[in-house]
Amino acid sequence: MRIAQIAPLTESVPPRLYGGTERVVSYLTEALVELGHDVTLFASGDSRTAARLRPGARMGLRLDREVRDPIAPHMTMMERICREAGEYDILHSHLDYWMFSLLARVGTPAVTTLHGRLDLPEHAELHEMLRAPVVSISDAQRRPLPAANFVRTIYHGLPEDLLRPADIRPSYLAFLGRIAPEKRPDRAIAIARRAGIPLRIAAKIDRVDQEYFEEQVRPLLAGPGVEMIGEIADGEKSAFLSGAHALLMPIDWPEPFGLVMIEAMACGTPVI
């Protein structure tokens, strides 16, 4: 089949550091190529893939300090895809609802995998109006939108040889992901301190969460037993997770599918 995989331009595919959606798009794209499909990946220009790469931006927009309007490159890419839609047998979008209206107007079959939260009240009318075919990444993700046109739940996975338990004696608790109010790193710090176990935080800080970090999290780092090590890449995850007694994930939002959970379990590390 001729398949178009459409990724967000925020991070490269796969991401250099943090990035859940783009990481899953990479796993899926490479597997489809290996199965013999003719795959075109619409993603940032610094992506690495065995598929045909169609860049929508020169690099992942989060790390490109020259880009001030990240929506414009996405709009340009989406228009290009729709003009070329007839060249593909199926379009698979990972851009949330951004392409619903456009995809409904092209003749090529299309589906969208929803990677984010669906419990915001603004979503209901959109899904009821457009009835776009969508894939959920967990059954729990569907609950706020029972009227949406879900065609399948497809859980995330990992390449079986990507992460392995490392021969390291656990000595700390781990927090992996991003610094954000809904991820509750402040709660993770409190849990670790009450347990009397050191905490290592491997996480990114988005611009939108910088104020939260400065006001709510940074003051907590001044105390004992907490180490902020920043973002880490896939090659560092096995050692980081294997060295932890457990991964702390004290989330405060309806996580649709926490990729970090199966990353931890692939290393034999419990998730709390």
Side-chain angles (χ1 to χ4, degrees):
M1 292 181 67
R2 298 169 300 166
I3 303 170
Q5 287 289 337
I6 307 164
L9 299 174
T10 308
E11 309 283 350
S12 62
V13 176
R16 296 188 208 173
L17 298 167
Y18 176 87
T21 297
E22 295 86 357
R23 187 162 273 112
V24 171
V25 173
S26 177
Y27 300 155
L28 179 58
T29 298
E30 303 313 300
L32 288 170
V33 171
E34 190 174 342
L35 288 171
H37 295 289
D38 181 4
V39 185
T40 299
L41 173 63
F42 290 86
S44 66
D46 55 344
S47 298
R48 305 178 304 282
T49 180
R52 184 183 303 105
L53 178 63
R54 291 292 304 277
R58 64 174 189 146
M59 62 182 292
L61 300 178
R62 180 171 71 93
L63 300 177
D64 191 343
R65 298 305 178 187
E66 295 183 12
V67 173
R68 291 181 289 179
D69 181 1
I71 296 178
H74 282 95
M75 297 297 290
T76 303
M77 180 178 73
M78 289 190 292
E79 179 61 28
R80 183 179 298 118
I81 292 166
C82 289
R83 292 184 182 187
E84 301 173 1
E87 300 179 13
Y88 304 100
D89 296 313
I90 189 168
L91 306 173
H92 187 175
S93 173
H94 301 269
L95 299 182
D96 200 51
Y97 54 74
W98 282 25
M99 292 195 72
F100 281 3
S101 185
L102 289 170
L103 294 177
R105 288 163 168 77
V106 301
T108 303
V111 68
T112 297
T113 293
L114 299 174
H115 292 266
R117 65 189 303 171
L118 303 181
D119 62 321
L120 303 179
E122 303 91 328
H123 290 168
E125 184 177 5
L126 177 69
H127 281 268
E128 290 172 6
M129 177 182 294
L130 294 176
R131 300 294 298 160
V134 291
V135 169
S136 50
I137 57 177
S138 66
D139 289 342
Q141 184 192 30
R142 297 185 177 200
R143 289 175 190 152
L145 283 179
N149 184 18
F150 290 106
V151 295
R152 191 73 60 88
T153 289
I154 300 177
Y155 298 107
H156 288 334
L158 298 173
E160 61 182 356
D161 59 349
L162 179 68
L163 299 173
R164 296 279 184 175
D167 188 15
I168 301 172
R169 183 169 182 166
S171 59
Y172 53 85
L173 295 170
F175 181 96
L176 177 62
R178 61 187 170 91
I179 300 294
E182 64 269 20
K183 298 289 188 177
R184 293 305 299 266
D186 59 322
R187 183 182 286 166
I189 293 171
I191 291 169
R193 286 198 170 128
R194 286 194 65 182
I197 305 173
L199 174 68
R200 301 187 74 196
I201 300 174
K204 76 162 183 172
I205 307 170
D206 282 332
R207 296 177 196 175
V208 68
D209 296 313
Q210 190 66 45
E211 183 177 350
Y212 164 74
F213 172 72
E214 296 295 341
E215 294 183 359
Q216 303 294 326
V217 179
R218 187 186 290 280
L220 300 176
L221 301 179
V226 180
E227 181 184 5
M228 179 85 175
I229 65 175
E231 295 183 67
I232 60 174
D234 278 346
E236 303 168 271
K237 285 181 180 176
S238 288
F240 176 74
L241 290 168
S242 297
H245 293 293
L247 174 77
L248 292 184
M249 197 177 176
I251 54 176
D252 201 11
W253 72 302
E255 180 86 57
F257 190 114
L259 191 61
V260 66
M261 291 192 289
I262 61 173
E263 290 177 337
M265 288 188 283
C267 297
T269 301
V271 179
I272 299 175

Coordinates of all heavy atoms in Angstrom, one line a residue, residues 30-93:
E30 N 8.5 2.8 10.6 CA 9.6 1.8 10.3 C 9.1 0.4 10.2 O 9.5 -0.4 9.3 CB 10.7 1.9 11.4 CG 11.3 3.3 11.5 CD 11.7 4.0 10.3 OE1 12.5 3.4 9.5 OE2 11.1 5.0 10.0
A31 N 8.1 0.0 11.0 CA 7.5 -1.3 10.9 C 6.7 -1.5 9.6 O 6.8 -2.6 8.9 CB 6.6 -1.6 12.1
L32 N 6.0 -0.5 9.1 CA 5.3 -0.5 7.8 C 6.3 -0.7 6.7 O 6.0 -1.4 5.7 CB 4.4 0.7 7.7 CG 3.2 0.8 8.6 CD1 2.5 2.1 8.5 CD2 2.2 -0.3 8.2
V33 N 7.4 0.0 6.7 CA 8.4 -0.1 5.7 C 8.9 -1.5 5.7 O 9.1 -2.1 4.6 CB 9.5 0.9 5.9 CG1 10.7 0.7 4.9 CG2 9.0 2.4 5.7
E34 N 9.2 -2.0 6.8 CA 9.8 -3.4 6.9 C 8.8 -4.4 6.4 O 9.2 -5.5 5.8 CB 10.1 -3.7 8.4 CG 10.9 -5.0 8.6 CD 11.3 -5.2 10.0 OE1 11.4 -4.2 10.8 OE2 11.7 -6.3 10.4
L35 N 7.5 -4.1 6.5 CA 6.5 -5.1 5.9 C 6.4 -4.9 4.4 O 5.6 -5.7 3.8 CB 5.2 -4.8 6.6 CG 5.0 -5.2 8.1 CD1 3.8 -4.7 8.7 CD2 5.1 -6.8 8.2
G36 N 7.1 -4.0 3.8 CA 7.0 -3.9 2.4 C 6.1 -2.8 1.8 O 6.0 -2.7 0.6
H37 N 5.5 -2.0 2.7 CA 4.7 -0.9 2.2 C 5.5 0.3 1.7 O 6.6 0.5 2.1 CB 3.7 -0.4 3.3 CG 2.8 -1.5 3.7 ND1 1.7 -1.9 3.0 CD2 2.7 -2.2 4.9 CE1 1.0 -2.9 3.6 NE2 1.6 -3.1 4.8
D38 N 4.9 1.0 0.8 CA 5.5 2.3 0.2 C 5.0 3.4 1.1 O 3.9 3.9 1.0 CB 5.0 2.5 -1.2 CG 5.6 3.7 -1.8 OD1 6.4 4.4 -1.2 OD2 5.2 4.0 -3.0
V39 N 5.9 3.8 2.0 CA 5.5 4.8 3.1 C 6.2 6.1 2.9 O 7.4 6.2 2.6 CB 5.8 4.3 4.5 CG1 5.3 5.2 5.6 CG2 5.3 2.9 4.7
T40 N 5.4 7.2 2.9 CA 5.9 8.6 2.9 C 5.7 9.2 4.3 O 4.5 9.1 4.8 CB 5.3 9.4 1.8 OG1 5.5 8.8 0.6 CG2 5.8 10.8 1.9
L41 N 6.7 9.7 4.9 CA 6.6 10.3 6.2 C 6.6 11.8 6.1 O 7.6 12.4 5.6 CB 7.7 9.8 7.1 CG 7.8 10.5 8.5 CD1 6.5 10.3 9.4 CD2 9.1 10.0 9.3
F42 N 5.6 12.5 6.5 CA 5.5 14.0 6.5 C 5.9 14.3 8.0 O 5.2 14.1 8.9 CB 4.1 14.5 6.2 CG 3.8 14.3 4.7 CD1 3.2 13.2 4.3 CD2 4.0 15.4 3.8 CE1 2.9 13.0 2.9 CE2 3.7 15.2 2.5 CZ 3.1 14.1 2.0
A43 N 7.1 14.9 8.1 CA 7.6 15.3 9.4 C 8.7 16.3 9.3 O 8.9 16.9 8.2 CB 8.2 14.0 10.0
S44 N 9.4 16.7 10.3 CA 10.4 17.7 10.3 C 11.6 17.1 9.5 O 11.9 15.9 9.4 CB 10.8 18.1 11.7 OG 11.4 17.0 12.4
G45 N 12.4 18.0 9.0 CA 13.5 17.7 8.1 C 14.7 16.9 8.8 O 15.5 16.3 8.1
D46 N 14.8 17.0 10.1 CA 15.8 16.3 10.8 C 15.4 14.9 11.3 O 16.0 14.3 12.1 CB 16.4 17.1 12.0 CG 15.2 17.6 12.9 OD1 14.1 17.5 12.6 OD2 15.6 18.0 14.1
S47 N 14.3 14.4 10.7 CA 13.8 13.1 11.1 C 14.7 12.0 10.4 O 15.3 12.3 9.4 CB 12.3 12.9 10.7 OG 11.5 13.9 11.3
R48 N 14.6 10.8 11.0 CA 15.4 9.7 10.5 C 14.5 8.6 10.2 O 13.8 8.1 11.2 CB 16.5 9.3 11.5 CG 17.4 10.5 11.9 CD 18.5 10.1 13.0 NE 17.9 9.5 14.2 CZ 17.3 10.2 15.1 NH1 17.2 11.5 15.1 NH2 16.8 9.5 16.2
T49 N 14.4 8.1 9.0 CA 13.5 7.1 8.6 C 13.9 6.3 7.4 O 14.6 6.9 6.5 CB 12.1 7.7 8.4 OG1 11.2 6.7 8.0 CG2 12.1 8.8 7.3
A50 N 13.4 5.1 7.3 CA 13.6 4.3 6.1 C 12.6 4.6 5.0 O 12.7 4.2 3.9 CB 13.6 2.8 6.4
A51 N 11.5 5.4 5.4 CA 10.5 5.8 4.5 C 11.0 7.0 3.7 O 12.0 7.5 3.9 CB 9.2 6.1 5.3
R52 N 10.1 7.4 2.7 CA 10.4 8.6 2.0 C 10.0 9.8 2.9 O 8.9 9.9 3.3 CB 9.6 8.6 0.7 CG 9.8 9.8 -0.2 CD 8.9 9.7 -1.4 NE 9.0 8.5 -2.2 CZ 8.1 7.5 -2.1 NH1 7.1 7.6 -1.3 NH2 8.3 6.4 -2.8
L53 N 11.0 10.7 3.1 CA 10.7 11.8 4.0 C 10.3 13.0 3.3 O 11.0 13.5 2.3 CB 12.0 12.1 4.9 CG 11.9 13.3 5.8 CD1 10.8 13.0 6.9 CD2 13.2 13.6 6.5
R54 N 9.2 13.6 3.6 CA 8.7 14.9 3.1 C 8.8 15.9 4.2 O 7.9 16.0 5.0 CB 7.3 14.8 2.5 CG 7.2 13.9 1.3 CD 7.9 14.5 0.1 NE 7.4 15.8 -0.2 CZ 6.3 16.1 -0.9 NH1 5.5 15.0 -1.4 NH2 5.9 17.3 -1.2
P55 N 9.8 16.8 4.2 CA 9.9 17.7 5.4 C 8.9 18.8 5.3 O 8.6 19.4 4.3 CB 11.3 18.3 5.1 CG 12.0 17.4 4.2 CD 10.9 16.8 3.3
G56 N 8.3 19.1 6.5 CA 7.4 20.2 6.7 C 8.0 21.3 7.4 O 7.5 22.4 7.4
A57 N 9.2 21.1 7.9 CA 10.0 22.2 8.5 C 11.5 21.7 8.5 O 11.7 20.5 8.4 CB 9.6 22.4 9.9
R58 N 12.4 22.6 8.6 CA 13.8 22.1 8.5 C 14.2 21.3 9.7 O 15.1 20.4 9.6 CB 14.7 23.3 8.4 CG 14.8 24.3 9.6 CD 15.8 25.4 9.5 NE 15.9 26.1 10.7 CZ 17.1 26.6 11.2 NH1 18.2 26.5 10.5 NH2 17.1 27.3 12.3
M59 N 13.6 21.5 10.9 CA 13.9 20.7 12.1 C 12.7 20.8 13.0 O 11.8 21.5 12.8 CB 15.2 21.3 12.8 CG 15.0 22.7 13.3 SD 16.6 23.4 14.0 CE 16.7 22.4 15.5
G60 N 12.8 19.9 14.1 CA 11.7 20.0 15.0 C 11.5 21.4 15.6 O 12.5 22.0 16.0
L61 N 10.3 21.9 15.6 CA 10.0 23.3 15.8 C 10.4 23.7 17.3 O 10.7 24.8 17.6 CB 8.6 23.6 15.5 CG 8.1 23.4 14.1 CD1 6.6 23.7 13.9 CD2 9.0 24.2 13.1
R62 N 10.2 22.7 18.2 CA 10.5 23.1 19.6 C 12.0 23.5 19.8 O 12.3 24.3 20.7 CB 10.2 21.9 20.5 CG 10.5 22.2 22.0 CD 10.0 21.1 22.9 NE 10.7 19.9 22.8 CZ 11.8 19.6 23.6 NH1 12.2 20.4 24.5 NH2 12.4 18.4 23.5
L63 N 12.9 22.9 19.0 CA 14.3 23.2 19.2 C 14.8 24.2 18.2 O 16.0 24.6 18.2 CB 15.1 21.9 19.0 CG 14.8 20.8 20.1 CD1 15.6 19.6 19.8 CD2 15.0 21.3 21.5
D64 N 13.9 24.7 17.3 CA 14.3 25.7 16.3 C 13.9 27.1 16.8 O 12.8 27.6 16.8 CB 13.5 25.5 15.0 CG 14.1 26.4 13.9 OD1 14.8 27.3 14.1 OD2 13.8 26.0 12.7
R65 N 14.9 27.8 17.3 CA 14.7 29.1 18.0 C 14.4 30.2 17.0 O 14.0 31.4 17.4 CB 16.0 29.5 18.7 CG 16.4 28.6 19.9 CD 15.2 28.4 20.8 NE 15.5 27.4 21.9 CZ 14.6 27.0 22.8 NH1 13.4 27.5 22.7 NH2 14.9 26.2 23.7
E66 N 14.5 30.0 15.7 CA 14.1 31.0 14.7 C 12.7 31.0 14.3 O 12.2 31.9 13.7 CB 15.0 30.8 13.4 CG 16.5 31.0 13.6 CD 17.3 30.8 12.3 OE1 16.6 30.8 11.3 OE2 18.5 30.7 12.4
V67 N 11.9 30.0 14.7 CA 10.5 29.9 14.4 C 9.7 30.5 15.5 O 9.8 30.1 16.7 CB 10.1 28.4 14.2 CG1 8.6 28.3 14.0 CG2 10.8 27.8 13.0
R68 N 8.9 31.5 15.1 CA 8.0 32.2 16.1 C 6.6 31.8 16.0 O 5.8 32.0 16.9 CB 8.2 33.7 16.0 CG 9.6 34.2 16.4 CD 9.7 35.7 16.3 NE 9.8 36.1 14.9 CZ 9.9 37.4 14.5 NH1 9.9 38.4 15.5 NH2 10.0 37.7 13.3
D69 N 6.2 31.3 14.8 CA 4.8 30.8 14.6 C 4.8 29.4 14.2 O 4.9 29.1 13.0 CB 4.1 31.7 13.6 CG 2.6 31.3 13.4 OD1 2.2 30.3 14.0 OD2 2.0 31.9 12.5
P70 N 4.7 28.4 15.1 CA 4.8 27.0 14.8 C 3.5 26.5 14.1 O 3.6 25.4 13.5 CB 4.9 26.3 16.1 CG 4.3 27.3 17.1 CD 4.6 28.6 16.6
I71 N 2.5 27.3 14.0 CA 1.3 26.8 13.4 C 1.4 26.9 11.9 O 0.9 26.0 11.1 CB 0.0 27.6 13.9 CG1 -0.2 27.3 15.3 CG2 -1.2 27.2 13.1 CD1 -1.4 28.1 15.9
A72 N 2.1 27.9 11.4 CA 2.2 28.2 9.9 C 2.8 27.0 9.2 O 2.3 26.5 8.2 CB 3.0 29.5 9.7
P73 N 4.0 26.4 9.7 CA 4.5 25.2 9.0 C 3.6 24.1 8.9 O 3.5 23.3 7.9 CB 5.8 24.9 9.8 CG 6.1 26.2 10.4 CD 4.9 26.9 10.8
H74 N 2.8 23.9 10.0 CA 1.8 22.8 10.0 C 0.7 23.0 8.9 O 0.3 22.1 8.2 CB 1.1 22.7 11.4 CG 2.0 22.0 12.4 ND1 2.8 22.7 13.3 CD2 2.1 20.7 12.7 CE1 3.4 21.8 14.1 NE2 3.0 20.6 13.7
M75 N 0.2 24.3 8.8 CA -0.8 24.6 7.8 C -0.3 24.3 6.4 O -1.0 23.8 5.6 CB -1.3 26.0 8.0 CG -1.9 26.3 9.3 SD -3.4 25.4 9.6 CE -4.5 26.2 8.4
T76 N 1.0 24.7 6.2 CA 1.6 24.5 4.8 C 1.7 23.1 4.5 O 1.3 22.6 3.4 CB 3.0 25.2 4.8 OG1 2.8 26.6 5.1 CG2 3.6 25.0 3.4
M77 N 2.1 22.3 5.5 CA 2.3 20.8 5.3 C 0.9 20.2 5.0 O 0.8 19.4 4.1 CB 2.9 20.2 6.5 CG 3.1 18.7 6.4 SD 4.0 17.9 7.8 CE 2.7 18.0 9.0
M78 N -0.1 20.6 5.8 CA -1.4 20.0 5.6 C -2.0 20.3 4.2 O -2.6 19.4 3.6 CB -2.4 20.5 6.7 CG -2.0 19.9 8.1 SD -3.3 20.3 9.4 CE -3.1 22.1 9.5
E79 N -1.8 21.5 3.8 CA -2.3 21.9 2.4 C -1.6 21.1 1.4 O -2.2 20.6 0.4 CB -2.1 23.4 2.2 CG -2.5 23.9 0.8 CD -4.0 23.7 0.6 OE1 -4.8 23.7 1.5 OE2 -4.4 23.5 -0.6
R80 N -0.3 20.9 1.5 CA 0.5 20.1 0.6 C 0.0 18.6 0.5 O -0.2 18.0 -0.5 CB 2.0 20.1 0.9 CG 2.9 19.4 0.0 CD 4.3 19.4 0.4 NE 4.8 20.8 0.3 CZ 5.3 21.5 1.4 NH1 5.3 20.8 2.6 NH2 5.7 22.7 1.3
I81 N -0.3 18.1 1.7 CA -0.8 16.7 1.8 C -2.1 16.6 1.0 O -2.3 15.6 0.3 CB -0.9 16.3 3.2 CG1 0.5 16.1 3.9 CG2 -1.7 14.9 3.3 CD1 0.4 16.0 5.4
C82 N -3.0 17.5 1.2 CA -4.3 17.4 0.6 C -4.2 17.6 -0.9 O -5.0 16.9 -1.7 CB -5.3 18.5 1.2 SG -5.7 18.1 2.9
R83 N -3.3 18.4 -1.4 CA -3.2 18.5 -2.8 C -2.6 17.3 -3.5 O -2.8 17.0 -4.7 CB -2.2 19.7 -3.1 CG -2.8 21.1 -2.8 CD -1.9 22.2 -3.2 NE -2.5 23.5 -2.8 CZ -2.0 24.7 -3.2 NH1 -0.9 24.7 -3.9 NH2 -2.6 25.8 -2.8
E84 N -1.9 16.5 -2.7 CA -1.2 15.3 -3.2 C -1.9 14.0 -2.7 O -1.4 12.9 -2.9 CB 0.2 15.2 -2.7 CG 1.1 16.4 -3.2 CD 2.5 16.5 -2.6 OE1 2.8 15.5 -1.8 OE2 3.2 17.4 -2.9
A85 N -3.1 14.2 -2.2 CA -3.8 13.0 -1.5 C -4.0 11.9 -2.5 O -4.0 10.7 -2.0 CB -5.1 13.5 -0.9
G86 N -4.2 12.1 -3.7 CA -4.5 11.1 -4.7 C -3.3 10.2 -4.9 O -3.5 9.1 -5.6
E87 N -2.1 10.5 -4.5 CA -1.0 9.7 -4.7 C -0.9 8.6 -3.6 O 0.0 7.7 -3.7 CB 0.3 10.5 -4.6 CG 0.4 11.6 -5.6 CD 1.6 12.5 -5.5 OE1 2.5 12.1 -4.7 OE2 1.7 13.6 -6.1
Y88 N -1.8 8.5 -2.7 CA -1.7 7.6 -1.6 C -3.0 6.7 -1.5 O -4.1 7.1 -1.9 CB -1.5 8.3 -0.3 CG -0.3 9.2 -0.3 CD1 -0.4 10.5 -0.5 CD2 1.0 8.6 -0.1 CE1 0.7 11.3 -0.5 CE2 2.1 9.4 -0.2 CZ 2.0 10.8 -0.4 OH 3.1 11.6 -0.4
D89 N -2.9 5.5 -0.9 CA -4.0 4.7 -0.7 C -4.7 5.0 0.6 O -5.9 4.8 0.8 CB -3.6 3.2 -0.7 CG -3.0 2.7 -2.0 OD1 -3.7 3.0 -3.1 OD2 -1.9 2.1 -2.1
I90 N -3.9 5.5 1.6 CA -4.5 5.9 2.9 C -3.6 7.0 3.5 O -2.4 7.0 3.3 CB -4.6 4.7 3.8 CG1 -5.4 5.1 5.1 CG2 -3.2 4.1 4.2 CD1 -5.8 3.9 5.9
L91 N -4.3 7.9 4.2 CA -3.6 9.0 4.9 C -3.8 8.7 6.4 O -4.9 8.5 6.9 CB -4.2 10.3 4.6 CG -4.2 10.7 3.1 CD1 -5.0 12.0 2.9 CD2 -2.8 10.8 2.5
H92 N -2.7 8.6 7.1 CA -2.8 8.4 8.6 C -2.2 9.6 9.3 O -1.0 9.8 9.3 CB -2.0 7.1 9.0 CG -2.2 6.7 10.4 ND1 -1.6 5.6 10.9 CD2 -2.8 7.3 11.4 CE1 -2.0 5.5 12.2 NE2 -2.7 6.5 12.5
S93 N -3.1 10.4 9.9 CA -2.7 11.6 10.6 C -2.5 11.4 12.1 O -3.3 10.6 12.7 CB -3.8 12.7 10.4 OG -3.5 13.9 11.1

